[in-house]
Amino acid sequence: MIFVLTLFSQRTNVKGNLEKKMSERLYELVTDLHAALDTAADADSCVDSVVNLLTDNSELIRSDNDMEILCEDVLRHSCVDSISDDALAELLCIWRGLHLTESAEPSQLERGFVVLSLAYYLGHVYGANVFRKIGQYMDSLLIPVVSNCSRHRVHIPAVRLLYEVCLLQELSLNELDEFSMEMIAVLLDSVEKTACSDQLEEYNFSILKLLLALNDQYMKKNHAREVIENRIIACLATRLYMGKSLGANVIFMFNRADNPRVQRLIIRFLMRMLKSDPTSGFFYTNDLKVMLDVILREARSVADENEEVSFAFCMHISA
């Protein structure tokens, strides 16, 4: 017993020392980034320096929090802040030279992870114009990455960027046609694979939100009459017994969502699922009870734009 406790103590100390060294190296990376930005001659060299430094030291970036801290620190540096948001978004489109597929070199995928992460946090710092600019590269980069690179962490910022683009603008029929059944199946599989990991919970919810936003795009297009197949519903209809984690996590997200826009996306998804014969039995009875409890609880606090949808869903459940 004493031996086990001693061994555990040694391993704990090793882990603590390793984390301390990693934190020190991360701090050194921030210092190096500042030094590179301070000496950058122009906007192009500024972006190149940041992307190259972060890519070369990507093993230090172990979590979303690490990347968020690094990106926001870089984006608020005076050198970067002096570049207009449109120009900076355009400069980040150096990803046009990237060919990100499942068979791409690891260094190329890491570079893609850095560039897309910078673009994502750039959008949150500077606003919608950045996501509009990124939307121009949806079919040439974002969709291929989401379709083909689900085993690498470059998938995470690509999913989040695609969600922001889908929220920002109504897609054309041609753009919606780029979302293949195979890609949607990849997203649904990713939901199931990440469902039981606390560390991947935010990533799991990011995928769910993208699926919800895509469903909303299809519903808008088919509001007056059906002009395009809702591939989210069609794909789920073929895998009713393979998506229970998706159902449970959507309900969990609905139960704790405090963003009216996300609540509305969830409600519209639930309505569509329950009204479609192939997917009407997708949710368990207990899930339906939780749905109704949440709607009744939130009925008085939802924003005006959501009340009509909430009421319609309540009526549908009671019917």
Side-chain angles (χ1 to χ4, degrees), residues 245-273:
S245 292
L246 180 141
N249 284 8
V250 166
I251 299 303
F252 178 76
M253 184 190 294
F254 188 36
N255 194 21
R256 75 175 193 176
D258 55 5
N259 184 322
R261 200 167 191 178
V262 174
Q263 285 180 324
R264 182 177 179 277
L265 290 176
I266 295 173
I267 291 171
R268 284 171 63 79
F269 171 72
L270 297 175
M271 288 177 64
R272 187 66 183 83
M273 288 285 286

Side-chain angles (χ1 to χ4, degrees), residues 14-230:
V14 169
K15 182 179 179 182
N17 291 335
L18 180 61
E19 289 180 350
K20 183 179 178 181
K21 288 181 181 178
M22 292 294 284
S23 297
E24 289 173 353
R25 290 178 65 192
L26 201 60
Y27 178 78
E28 290 173 3
L29 175 56
V30 171
T31 303
D32 291 342
L33 285 167
H34 283 206
L37 290 171
D38 288 340
T39 58
D42 52 32
D44 285 304
S45 60
C46 173
V47 172
D48 285 343
S49 296
V50 169
V51 171
N52 290 332
L53 266 172
L54 289 176
T55 302
D56 291 343
N57 295 276
S58 61
E59 75 279 358
L60 301 179
I61 306 169
R62 298 174 297 162
S63 67
D64 284 348
N65 187 56
D66 288 345
M67 181 54 91
E68 181 178 359
I69 291 170
L70 288 167
C71 286
E72 292 195 355
D73 186 76
V74 164
L75 295 170
R76 297 185 190 282
H77 188 280
S78 58
C79 174
V80 179
D81 194 48
S82 64
I83 310 171
S84 72
D85 54 344
D86 275 347
L88 191 52
E90 189 67 39
L91 282 170
L92 279 173
C93 291
I94 57 171
W95 64 42
R96 283 176 291 183
L98 294 175
H99 300 287
L100 299 176
T101 64
E102 195 171 12
S103 58
E105 292 293 326
S107 60
Q108 195 80 332
L109 291 171
E110 282 298 294
R111 185 177 179 85
F113 168 68
V114 167
V115 171
L116 294 183
S117 295
L118 281 166
Y120 174 72
Y121 289 109
L122 177 67
H124 283 278
V125 171
Y126 288 99
N129 284 339
V130 173
F131 293 127
R132 286 193 182 93
K133 180 70 70 173
I134 292 164
Q136 297 174 12
Y137 301 90
M138 181 179 71
D139 60 341
S140 62
L141 180 76
L142 295 182
I143 289 178
V145 170
V146 171
S147 299
N148 302 314
C149 302
S150 61
R151 296 181 181 181
H152 190 276
R153 61 178 176 171
V154 69
H155 199 248
I156 299 173
V159 165
R160 290 171 176 168
L161 282 167
L162 201 48
Y163 168 69
E164 296 292 346
V165 171
C166 288
L167 277 189
L168 189 63
Q169 60 197 41
E170 184 171 343
L171 303 180
S172 67
L173 287 174
N174 287 338
E175 287 172 328
L176 276 176
D177 200 46
E178 294 292 328
F179 294 87
S180 66
M181 291 285 281
E182 290 77 15
M183 172 189 158
I184 292 167
V186 167
L187 290 171
L188 293 174
D189 286 340
S190 296
V191 169
E192 299 303 313
K193 290 175 183 177
T194 59
C196 298
S197 172
D198 291 339
Q199 293 180 330
L200 297 175
E201 182 180 82
E202 290 303 319
Y203 172 40
N204 183 282
F205 288 169
S206 295
I207 302 170
L208 286 174
K209 288 192 290 185
L210 174 57
L211 290 167
L212 294 171
L214 278 174
N215 172 72
D216 197 56
Q217 290 279 348
Y218 287 119
M219 290 183 70
K220 287 175 181 175
K221 277 286 179 282
N222 294 329
H223 177 67
R225 61 186 179 87
E226 185 166 335
V227 295
I228 186 172
E229 180 185 43
N230 187 328

